[in-house]
Amino acid sequence: MKVAVLGAGAIGAYVGAALCRADVEVHLIARGPHLAAMRRDGVRVLSPRGDFTAAPQVTDDPAEVGEADYVFLGLKAHSYATAGPLLKPLLGADTAVVAAQNGIPWWYFHGLKGHQLEGTRIEAVDPGGSVSEVLDVERAIGCVVYCSTVIERPGVIRHLEGTRFSLGEPEGGISERCVRLSEAMIAGGLKAPVEPNLRDDIWIKLMGNVAFNPLSALTRATMAQICEHDDTRELVATMMTEAIEIARATGCEPRISVEKRIDGAHRVGHHKTSMLQDLEAGKSLEIDAIIGAVVELAELTGVGAPALKHVHAAVGLLNRIGANA
């Protein structure tokens, strides 16, 4: 098996290092000091499950890698539309693209048999079809990430918690290509269940992301601080309830209660969400996939979602003016 990791940041490098332990041929595509350090010293993983070092091949040029069996996308979803030139050299006739993204994927209504919105393009995550033009939905394998990692320093990944990467086909069912990848990831020390209906998993994670990510960016608060303040905890519950209603309108049933989901987030403690980390780093916020697409789904399905719409408006303005305005 040959796997290319496009965007070998904290999550991508961690997955690549794990796959190396399963004797997979891994190529990490990265840039900057992180690239230089991994080329020189390999990938060092520091983890409560045990530290290890892996030596994947590392480059900044996908043309050096060539066609792969799987491409693991470690990019933020808002970068997908411009990833075509990097992705093209990696794609063979049967290459699968594993989209390990937060939020609603561009392929969401692909293969949703019998649903009135089957085949509908979600403008927030596929504006004008720009993403589906680059990422053919037939290649896509969905991936819901329940794992937290950070780049402690170039070439060194700190694994904080979680090893689960749920995999699934947009059209549902259990495919051979998903099973093969799952087996390799498990052999490398990860949890990689193949879900026959990955959309339910997407919504379980999204219940947290759609509320905590934008609220943390707007308030600069950690997840624990949001949970411990009565008013923001109530707002989180309202946003999660609206998200569940939208999920049900698209035929999904996230099987977790709002209170259980909030309690789970509270236990994470004083963790800064990825959106808050991006804000503090001066990066563009991953709004469209995490909350913009959910608001669009509310409109498409006729579900009222006033809290989500209001928070979306506020965080959208924050993203426009920037953290230091």
Side-chain angles (χ1 to χ4, degrees):
M1 182 186 294
K2 180 179 178 180
V3 176
V5 179
L6 181 56
I11 288 290
Y14 176 64
V15 170
L19 287 170
C20 280
R21 301 176 87 186
D23 295 325
V24 172
E25 180 186 341
V26 177
H27 298 258
L28 303 185
I29 301 164
R31 60 186 180 182
H34 188 48
L35 164 71
M38 292 190 295
R39 269 179 168 164
R40 183 182 65 248
D41 303 320
V43 180
R44 179 69 174 160
V45 175
L46 308 177
S47 171
R49 296 167 56 89
D51 300 346
F52 67 94
T53 300
Q57 299 185 55
V58 185
T59 183
D60 59 357
D61 183 4
E64 293 181 0
V65 178
E67 296 178 2
D69 297 307
Y70 298 89
V71 176
F72 184 93
L73 286 182
L75 305 170
K76 293 290 180 71
H78 54 245
S79 301
Y80 286 0
T82 59
L86 294 173
L87 192 61
K88 187 175 180 181
L90 306 173
L91 300 179
D94 299 316
T95 303
V97 177
V98 184
Q101 67 164 94
N102 285 322
I104 298 293
W106 83 99
W107 52 259
Y108 189 83
F109 285 116
H110 172 69
L112 201 58
K113 304 299 184 185
H115 196 281
Q116 61 181 352
L117 293 173
E118 181 185 359
T120 299
R121 188 178 74 240
I122 303 172
E123 196 67 22
V125 290
D126 191 10
S130 57
V131 174
S132 54
E133 184 177 347
V134 171
L135 300 172
D136 185 345
V137 291
E138 299 294 340
R139 294 186 183 275
I141 291 177
C143 180
V144 182
V145 179
Y146 295 94
C147 174
S148 179
T149 58
V150 294
I151 299 177
E152 184 153 296
R153 58 184 183 274
V156 179
I157 306 300
R158 172 73 65 177
H159 172 228
L160 302 173
E161 62 175 356
T163 59
R164 181 177 168 187
F165 294 78
S166 298
L167 305 172
E169 293 284 352
E171 294 187 354
I174 306 293
S175 69
E176 181 181 345
R177 66 180 186 171
C178 279
V179 170
R180 186 171 175 236
L181 179 60
S182 170
E183 290 173 346
M185 294 176 77
I186 291 168
L190 305 176
K191 295 178 181 177
V194 180
E195 301 290 350
N197 186 0
L198 190 69
R199 289 176 182 82
D200 286 349
D201 245 36
I202 288 172
W203 281 103
I204 289 172
K205 184 176 183 187
L206 186 53
M207 282 172 64
N209 283 346
V210 77
F212 286 105
N213 272 270
L215 289 178
S216 69
L218 289 165
T219 64
R220 309 301 203 274
T222 66
M223 292 172 70
Q225 288 170 326
I226 293 170
C227 291
E228 290 164 4
H229 183 66
D230 289 345
D231 290 342
T232 50
R233 186 184 181 101
E234 183 178 349
L235 179 54
V236 166
T238 300
M239 294 173 73
M240 286 187 177
T241 299
E242 291 177 357
I244 290 173
E245 293 175 3
I246 297 164
R248 287 172 175 162
T250 68
C252 293
E253 185 59 53
R255 300 185 184 281
I256 188 170
S257 70
V258 167
E259 279 306 308
K260 186 174 181 181
R261 190 68 181 84
I262 293 175
D263 288 344
H266 194 181
R267 285 194 298 273
V268 172
H270 291 288
H271 170 70
K272 293 183 179 181
T273 69
S274 59
M275 194 174 287
L276 177 54
Q277 291 178 46
D278 284 346
L279 181 72
E280 292 179 341
K283 298 178 180 178
S284 180
L285 306 185
E286 199 175 12
I287 293 172
D288 291 338
I290 288 177
I291 187 168
V294 179
V295 169
E296 186 174 341
L297 287 177
E299 294 169 351
L300 287 170
T301 56
V303 174
L308 288 168
K309 290 178 181 178
H310 294 156
V311 172
H312 178 231
V315 78
L317 178 58
L318 175 66
N319 191 44
R320 176 176 294 182
I321 63 177
N324 301 314

